Amino acid sequence: MEIWINPACSKCRSAVSLLDAEGASYTVRRYLDDVPSEDEIRAVLDRLGLEPWDITRTQEAEAKELGVKEWARDAGARERWIAALAAHPKLIQRPIITADDGTAVVARTDDAVRDALSR
């Protein structure tokens, strides 16, 4: 499994600590340094079963500058959102764990991390 993290994020550090405590085998991706491509974001969204606006941190300063809260949330706007996430990775909700079974979870809680571990 892989976990997308920002080391400065307490939720990310908590998720990594839980993975370590459970003895999980995983790869860390510091997504602010190793920015996901648009194709990778699409693939993770498919695995999550979510849309890009569902994983966008709309309270970030960059989101406010872009005005994302005003953007349409429909199929026609999907690519605009994905492009924004690729161009501004700080807007991606974290942490995201891609599980071994091909699914993924936004692992902001211990329960979500355990859910990823059980897959």
Side-chain angles (χ1 to χ4, degrees):
M1 85 178 63
E2 181 176 78
I3 182 169
W4 292 8
I5 69 161
N6 172 353
C9 168
S10 63
K11 301 272 187 201
C12 292
R13 291 191 307 271
S14 176
V16 167
S17 292
L18 183 55
L19 290 174
D20 289 343
E22 295 293 328
S25 176
Y26 64 95
T27 303
V28 170
R29 180 172 187 169
R30 294 180 179 211
Y31 71 93
L32 296 179
D33 299 325
D34 182 7
V35 179
S37 68
E38 290 183 23
D39 284 342
E40 288 174 306
I41 292 169
R42 280 185 207 93
V44 163
L45 288 168
D46 288 346
R47 291 175 81 165
L48 288 166
L50 297 173
E51 293 296 338
W53 46 85
D54 296 325
I55 65 162
T56 300
R57 298 173 56 85
T58 59
Q59 297 302 315
E60 292 288 336
E62 290 177 43
K64 291 177 181 179
E65 289 171 20
L66 293 170
V68 298
K69 280 192 172 183
E70 311 307 317
W71 292 3
R73 295 177 183 217
D74 58 27
R78 189 172 200 264
E79 289 305 310
R80 180 182 189 191
W81 285 85
I82 291 170
L85 292 173
H88 306 276
K90 192 172 187 180
L91 300 183
I92 299 172
Q93 189 59 263
R94 61 191 184 244
I96 293 176
I97 297 175
T98 54
D100 292 336
D101 71 350
T103 62
V105 296
V106 178
R108 295 190 54 76
T109 65
D110 287 353
D111 286 343
V113 175
R114 286 187 186 96
D115 181 41
L117 285 168
S118 71
R119 295 178 183 204

